[in-house]
Amino acid sequence: MNHIWVLFLAHVVLSTVATEVHESGELLNTAEVCQYMQCVEDGSKLSLKFNETMWKQFSEQLNTTFDLNTWNWSKLDDLVQENRTFEVVFNGLETLHVHILQGHGSVTTLNLDNNQIAMVENEAFANFKALMTLSLRGNMITVVNDFVYNPNMLQHLDLASNRINDIKGLKTYTLSHLTYLNLSHNLIKSIGTELSKLEALETLDLSRNAIKRREKPIILPKNLQQLLLHNNELTTWPFETVPETLTDLSLGFNQINLTKEATNVRRLDLSYNRLASFCGECFPSLEELDLSGNYLEALPRFGNQPTRLRKISFNRMPNLQSIERSTFQGVTEQLHELEISFCPQLTTIEFHAFADLKELKRLDLSYNALQQVPENMVNWNQIEQGVNLQGNPINCACSMQWLVDRVIPAMHSKRELHKLFPNLRCAQPAIYKDHLIVHLTVHDNLMCRKYQEMDLPGMETVVQLMKEHRQMQFVRAQQIILAALICGIILEGVSAELGVACALPAGPPVPIGLARSLSGSKSSSSKLELVVSSVIRSRDSSFTGGVVLPVVAPDVDAGKSGVSPL
């Protein structure tokens, strides 16, 4: 019996909901305002977006243009329901001057972006008693006035991408609930105490203006948590003190040359400034730090106590030349990500430089000037997201064989790390130039092998390149000896007893006596081959790592029969 009652009640509830949904849909279809505005319902919130095309069709008989200042906001009354709020969007209008609007008590979000608005009257939005979000992005406003009336519920104010150069009106703002203020992409040149009264403000975006520090420092709201001041014209630290609540501070792309203490900041962006040093102890709560694009010659130290740092970026530092072992020793146990890339003078990493970073998951050392890296600089097995060495001029010598034997195969076994291979190439020796290092894992101990040991399956291309290079050396040596012979013959008639050497910059000196003996010998071609081979032996170190390869003198008869001496 009970289950029958349950089914009956469920049927009643579903029928009621279906009826309400049907009635709501009918209401949206029949309401006049929805004939020229796109009406979309999302739960208890109804979004109405003005559509120019729909308006032209609706007002075809009236033959009138839409006027925001005279529009009757009471037309929203037809859509009012219990607990329903409105988001109203008017974009793309040509409304230069916004007067005091009629407003509506159910509108909580008003979007007037990209309308060419140049001036807004005082208290223009005072009749929107429930307004919580106001966006005026992409207009031509130059001065900030008291847009709203006190008391108000405004929490989110977006004035980005205007032409604002005067924010003195914010001094008298009574925005006791405002938590977000965006003034980015404007023409603001200075900030003083204008924002200090916004006591509820948590996020302030002043990026991409022309702000310079005046004689007096910037005074920030006392409860501010996030401050964006990047892409301005600051030349020094802009604050005397910062609120204890401030945890996120962005000052990148300025011209700052020094820093001061900010003990509670967790995320700090000082990239692309003019810092030659950094006070690591001034920011004991740091979790993320970006010092990219500064002029530090050595990486900063972070004091003697363990830090909370989880991510550090030291990219594009033109003066950084080496990474010392003591930089990260014992102080950054929680570090997960470390980026040191695009540093054109970084050539040296000391042994065990990153060995103390027990929690390191990602290490980016790409596009530096590293020819070799020490095997024990880091615990390679613990780096889950891999070590990025792409773009470095790696010298694929025998001393780097460990990379091919152990690190590359381990990375190759994880498909997600294959993205670290495309630009991981050899820069030298010449025989391996531009070869992918991952391809050198085909044969064991390949980087340490001599030329004669490389005649293996799969090495045909490499061997052919080596032979061609050696042939070029042989031809060059022949040219040197021929020049020496000519020089010897000429000097023989001038000063036969000088006994000096006829030397060329491109090769070793050849005594005149040797030249004379070669020129007068009936088997000069054979002796020429011997001298050429001798010159090659003295110059041939590109492929053998300094080991001189034995060269057998070619048989003269074999040469006559057309057999190549090589």
Side-chain angles (χ1 to χ4, degrees):
M1 190 69 178
N2 290 334
H3 70 278
I4 297 177
W5 276 104
V6 172
L7 291 175
F8 175 75
L9 291 175
H11 174 73
V12 172
V13 171
L14 292 175
S15 299
T16 304
V17 171
T19 302
E20 291 179 354
V21 171
H22 177 73
E23 291 177 352
S24 177
E26 287 291 331
L27 186 61
L28 294 181
N29 291 330
T30 58
E32 178 183 316
V33 70
C34 292
Q35 303 304 309
Y36 53 88
M37 299 184 75
Q38 296 173 340
C39 301
V40 179
E41 190 171 18
D42 182 11
S44 61
K45 186 175 183 178
L46 180 61
S47 177
L48 298 94
K49 183 175 182 180
F50 177 78
N51 186 292
E52 182 70 24
T53 302
M54 294 172 64
W55 171 259
K56 289 180 179 180
Q57 295 175 353
F58 175 79
S59 62
E60 185 175 0
Q61 296 179 351
L62 301 176
N63 194 24
T64 58
T65 58
F66 184 83
D67 186 355
L68 177 65
N69 289 309
T70 60
W71 187 61
N72 186 4
W73 287 79
S74 63
K75 294 183 180 296
L76 299 179
D77 292 342
D78 296 337
L79 299 173
V80 172
Q81 290 184 359
E82 186 177 0
N83 297 325
R84 171 179 279 179
T85 59
F86 294 108
E87 176 188 15
V88 182
V89 181
F90 289 105
N91 299 150
L93 304 178
E94 295 182 2
T95 305
L96 299 179
H97 192 159
V98 177
H99 301 285
I100 298 177
L101 302 179
Q102 178 186 358
H104 196 280
S106 296
V107 175
T108 58
T109 301
L110 179 59
N111 185 320
L112 297 178
D113 296 348
N114 304 307
N115 288 314
Q116 302 184 31
I117 299 172
M119 183 175 180
V120 181
E121 288 283 347
N122 287 342
E123 301 183 1
F125 310 107
N127 294 321
F128 296 87
K129 302 299 183 181
L131 190 63
M132 300 176 66
T133 300
L134 174 61
S135 182
L136 291 162
R137 294 176 65 98
N139 288 290
M140 298 185 293
I141 301 171
T142 58
V143 178
V144 178
N145 296 318
D146 288 334
F147 297 151
V148 293
Y149 181 76
N150 186 44
N152 59 77
M153 301 295 294
L154 194 64
Q155 298 178 8
H156 184 116
L157 178 59
D158 193 340
L159 296 169
S161 301
N162 279 278
R163 299 180 181 179
I164 297 172
N165 53 39
D166 184 357
I167 60 171
K168 294 178 181 178
L170 290 172
K171 283 186 175 181
T172 59
Y173 249 154
T174 52
L175 299 171
S176 57
H177 298 282
L178 190 68
T179 60
Y180 176 91
L181 175 60
N182 190 346
L183 289 166
S184 64
H185 292 84
N186 278 288
L187 303 176
I188 303 170
K189 294 184 178 180
S190 63
I191 295 286
T193 61
E194 293 89 343
L195 306 173
S196 59
K197 291 185 178 181
L198 303 177
E199 297 183 354
L201 196 64
E202 297 177 355
T203 300
L204 174 60
D205 191 347
L206 290 167
S207 62
R208 299 185 183 277
N209 280 279
I211 298 174
K212 300 179 181 178
R213 175 172 172 172
R214 303 182 303 179
E215 296 180 359
K216 296 182 179 180
I218 298 175
I219 306 299
L220 299 173
K222 65 178 183 179
N223 291 309
L224 193 65
Q225 298 178 15
Q226 181 183 36
L227 175 60
L228 307 178
L229 264 171
H230 53 268
N231 294 89
N232 278 283
E233 299 178 9
L234 296 167
T235 57
T236 187
W237 191 254
F239 325 105
E240 284 297 329
T241 59
V242 297
E244 294 183 358
T245 56
L246 187 65
T247 59
D248 194 336
L249 178 58
S250 177
L251 290 166
F253 292 91
N254 282 282
Q255 302 173 35
I256 298 172
N257 54 20
L258 60 87
T259 61
K260 291 186 178 180
E261 190 176 75
T263 56
N264 292 323
V265 171
R266 298 178 184 176
R267 288 171 294 277
L268 177 62
D269 182 1
L270 282 168
S271 59
Y272 299 96
N273 279 280
R274 296 186 176 180
L275 294 173
S277 62
F278 176 75
C279 176
E281 298 179 353
C282 295
F283 305 91
S285 301
L286 273 184
E287 296 178 3
E288 296 183 16
L289 172 64
D290 191 349
L291 288 176
S292 301
N294 281 285
Y295 296 90
L296 282 72
E297 295 182 358
L299 298 183
R301 309 293 173 86
F302 297 96
N304 298 321
Q305 299 298 324
T307 68
R308 302 177 183 177
L309 278 166
R310 293 183 290 106
K311 180 179 180 180
I312 302 178
S313 299
F314 294 134
N315 304 314
R316 301 183 185 277
M317 302 180 75
N319 295 340
L320 183 63
Q321 299 180 13
S322 63
I323 300 175
E324 300 177 0
R325 177 182 178 181
S326 57
T327 301
F328 301 101
Q329 193 169 13
V331 298
T332 50
E333 297 177 354
Q334 300 182 31
L335 192 64
H336 290 174
E337 296 184 53
L338 178 59
E339 298 177 355
I340 309 174
S341 63
F342 292 94
C343 301
Q345 296 193 54
L346 179 57
T347 58
T348 305
I349 297 179
E350 292 188 358
F351 294 99
H352 304 289
F354 312 113
D356 287 348
L357 306 180
K358 306 299 183 183
E359 300 297 325
L360 193 63
K361 306 300 179 186
R362 175 175 170 265
L363 178 59
D364 186 355
L365 295 172
S366 61
Y367 297 94
N368 294 302
L370 299 170
Q371 295 188 20
Q372 296 192 5
V373 292
E375 181 178 1
N376 56 3
M377 73 173 183
V378 70
N379 184 353
W380 297 87
N381 294 328
Q382 77 177 20
I383 312 296
E384 296 178 357
Q385 300 180 38
V387 178
N388 191 351
L389 290 171
Q390 296 184 97
N392 284 287
I394 301 295
N395 183 0
C396 294
C398 187
S399 58
M400 289 293 290
Q401 182 65 44
W402 60 269
L403 182 68
V404 175
D405 290 345
R406 291 181 287 280
V407 177
I408 299 299
M411 294 172 62
H412 193 271
S413 64
K414 301 178 181 179
R415 182 174 295 274
E416 63 273 15
L417 299 184
H418 289 189
K419 61 184 179 181
L420 303 180
F421 291 148
N423 290 312
L424 182 57
R425 300 173 181 267
C426 298
Q428 53 180 316
I431 191 59
Y432 294 136
K433 183 175 176 61
D434 294 330
H435 276 63
L436 289 172
I437 294 181
V438 68
H439 289 170
L440 302 184
T441 60
V442 176
H443 299 288
D444 295 335
N445 206 34
L446 186 60
M447 291 183 180
C448 297
R449 291 187 176 184
K450 299 179 182 179
Y451 171 67
Q452 294 95 329
E453 298 176 347
M454 292 187 178
D455 191 13
L456 300 169
M459 291 297 296
E460 293 83 359
T461 302
V462 175
V463 172
Q464 180 62 29
L465 289 172
M466 295 177 69
K467 287 183 177 180
E468 292 176 358
H469 188 80
R470 187 169 177 81
Q471 180 66 26
M472 291 176 61
Q473 281 191 317
F474 190 84
V475 172
R476 178 61 178 162
Q478 285 182 324
Q479 294 173 345
I480 294 173
I481 299 303
L482 181 60
L485 288 173
I486 296 173
C487 182
I489 293 171
I490 294 174
L491 291 179
E492 183 179 13
V494 179
S495 54
E497 302 300 328
L498 289 179
V500 297
C502 178
L504 295 176
V510 181
I512 292 178
L514 174 60
R516 186 185 301 118
S517 64
L518 290 174
S519 62
S521 174
K522 294 182 180 180
S523 58
S524 59
S525 62
S526 176
K527 291 188 177 183
L528 177 61
E529 297 289 354
L530 287 172
V531 175
V532 170
S533 299
S534 176
V535 172
I536 291 178
R537 293 178 64 193
S538 66
R539 294 165 59 89
D540 188 11
S541 61
S542 299
F543 308 114
T544 62
V547 178
V548 178
L549 302 177
V551 179
V552 180
D555 188 355
V556 176
D557 295 333
K560 292 179 180 179
S561 62
V563 180
S564 172
L566 291 178

